Amino acid sequence: MTVVQEYFTNFNKTQFTTELIAWFLREQRDLPWRRTKNPYHIWISEIMLQQTRVDTVIPYYERFTKRFPTPHDLAEADQSEVLKHWEGLGYYSRVKNLQIAVQEVVEKYDGIVPDEKELFSQLKGVGPYTTGAVLSIAYGQAEPAVDGNVMRVLSRVLGIYEDIAAPKTRKLFEAAVYQLIDPADPSSFNQGLMELGAMVCTPKSPMCGLCPVQDVCFAYDRNAQEELPVKTKKGKTQIIPYDALVYEADGKIAIEQRAETGLLAGMWQYPLREAEEDRNGTLVGHVRHIFSHRIWEIAVYRVTEQPDQTVLVDQETYAKHPVSVAQMKIDRLLKGEI
């Protein structure tokens, strides 16, 4: 008996899978990427949904797929335009990797997203979750798509006390999905697990009374919902103070482009400098922006001298440049909106 099989002793796999899929088909949210089997569009949605709320993604997905409806459209687009259509979603390396991967799909596979696991998983930015999601939803293959929602659901249902923050634990959950997935409808199974985690089996105060699989749930039977999943806490978040320097002259503003590598690579912004106690300028206010691993505390100053390594652009030109959410917050502060 393998390690994963131990969790299925006296567990009714058929009941779990049948009830989960029936619930999903009955209760699923109407989302635009669920109205298609286009693997390219599903791929886009899965990349956008990483670490981003569904409600936030919907308008971005609709605009993005309208502007870049085929892999050829995205592959041939200028990166700055692609970033502009992604502007506000954050984690910009995701869309850069997506464009590079789609360019490879166009070059090697004539614009057809590969349906072979080995080929698709080797594309830039494509990890095990994206591979499983696209292959199961678009191509009907019985492959696991394990994200945080799925690990939370299965840890509670099966009583898995392994630390879900440990990379090796994902393999255990993938093995569990292989045991449970319905080969006749892997799309509904995987999406059902994700939907259950998002809507019912939530991190805090799960709504067990609405759960279609409570009869076979380890945590529900033992009142252990708050114990699972087990997850080690992240280290202390780094707080970084910056000064943003706003220089305007003749209706133009000074901006700079970030480096082509690293955080927010290639994005445009008011020049950010290390915070100084005696900054020469007029303080406008403060902006706080939280990343997954750090926090920027930005003091915004109007200055009278153009900062080094900046270019002056008019508002029309500025509006065409891709900028980060942190930059958008500074703009809102300058307009008195926050």
Side-chain angles (χ1 to χ4, degrees):
M1 179 181 291
T2 63
V3 173
V4 71
Q5 287 173 332
E6 295 175 2
Y7 291 102
F8 293 100
T9 304
N10 299 320
F11 183 84
N12 192 326
K13 298 180 187 179
T14 302
Q15 180 181 353
F16 173 83
T17 299
T18 302
E19 294 293 344
L20 176 68
I21 291 177
W23 172 82
F24 174 73
L25 294 176
R26 183 177 65 249
E27 303 291 342
Q28 64 176 296
R29 290 169 290 177
D30 180 22
L31 303 173
W33 46 86
R34 288 182 176 163
R35 304 173 200 148
T36 181
K37 289 296 183 182
N38 183 324
Y40 165 66
H41 287 191
I42 291 169
W43 182 9
I44 291 171
S45 73
E46 291 298 340
I47 297 298
M48 286 185 169
L49 287 164
Q50 293 172 15
Q51 299 174 291
T52 310
R53 290 169 52 85
V54 167
D55 291 345
T56 300
V57 167
I58 291 174
Y60 280 94
Y61 170 83
E62 292 177 333
R63 286 195 298 268
F64 200 89
T65 53
K66 183 178 180 180
R67 171 59 187 87
F68 311 109
T70 71
H72 289 86
D73 294 312
L74 181 58
E76 296 166 4
D78 186 86
Q79 186 186 81
S80 63
E81 185 185 5
V82 175
L83 287 171
K84 191 67 181 175
H85 277 76
W86 198 271
E87 185 179 85
L89 272 179
Y91 302 97
Y92 296 95
S93 61
R94 294 182 297 173
V95 72
K96 292 181 180 179
N97 289 339
L98 175 63
Q99 187 178 30
I100 292 170
V102 169
Q103 288 168 342
E104 185 174 348
V105 167
V106 169
E107 181 181 343
K108 290 185 177 180
Y109 311 115
D110 197 27
I112 299 173
V113 177
D115 61 358
E116 294 181 35
K117 182 178 181 179
E118 182 178 355
L119 297 179
F120 184 67
S121 64
Q122 290 176 354
L123 295 171
K124 183 79 170 177
V126 174
Y129 168 77
T130 303
T131 298
V134 173
L135 293 186
S136 64
I137 297 170
Y139 290 122
Q141 297 182 22
E143 291 292 337
V146 176
D147 66 356
N149 283 325
V150 170
M151 288 193 284
R152 182 169 60 257
V153 170
L154 292 183
S155 69
R156 288 171 174 168
V157 169
L158 298 175
I160 298 176
Y161 279 82
E162 298 295 326
D163 179 10
I164 67 170
K168 66 177 183 180
T169 306
R170 180 178 293 273
K171 295 293 184 182
L172 175 61
F173 283 99
E174 288 176 350
V177 171
Y178 275 124
Q179 291 281 324
L180 293 166
I181 197 167
D182 182 359
D185 193 358
S187 172
S188 294
F189 178 85
N190 277 341
Q191 290 187 86
L193 276 179
M194 298 175 209
E195 190 83 340
L196 191 65
M199 304 303 295
V200 176
C201 195
T202 49
K204 301 293 182 182
S205 303
M207 295 174 281
C208 297
L210 301 177
C211 181
V213 295
Q214 64 170 243
D215 289 346
V216 295
C217 180
F218 174 96
Y220 180 75
D221 182 60
R222 295 161 178 79
N223 196 30
Q225 296 94 323
E226 298 301 325
E227 297 177 11
L228 294 165
V230 174
K231 184 177 183 180
T232 54
K233 294 183 178 179
K234 294 182 179 180
K236 188 176 181 181
T237 302
Q238 182 184 17
I239 298 177
I240 306 174
Y242 282 116
D243 291 342
L245 311 183
V246 181
Y247 174 78
E248 298 178 89
D250 300 323
K252 297 182 177 181
I253 54 175
I255 56 175
E256 65 181 6
Q257 188 174 26
R258 295 182 66 83
E260 287 302 316
T261 58
L263 185 65
L264 303 179
M267 306 300 281
W268 291 83
Q269 63 187 16
Y270 301 119
L272 286 182
R273 303 293 183 259
E274 291 185 10
E276 295 182 1
E277 289 188 14
D278 299 319
R279 173 66 64 186
N280 186 15
T282 303
L283 179 65
V284 179
H286 294 83
V287 164
R288 190 172 204 250
H289 187 69
I290 301 173
F291 297 91
S292 59
H293 54 299
R294 68 189 68 177
I295 297 173
W296 282 2
E297 297 281 5
I298 307 172
V300 181
Y301 288 89
R302 292 191 183 275
V303 297
T304 56
E305 294 185 6
Q306 183 176 348
D308 294 338
Q309 299 179 323
T310 60
V311 294
L312 285 173
V313 298
D314 57 31
Q315 287 295 332
E316 183 179 353
T317 303
Y318 173 64
K320 295 177 182 178
H321 284 60
V323 301
S324 68
V325 174
Q327 177 74 5
M328 291 179 183
K329 289 180 179 178
I330 296 173
D331 280 332
R332 289 175 59 200
L333 175 69
L334 293 170
K335 294 175 183 177
E337 295 176 359
I338 57 174

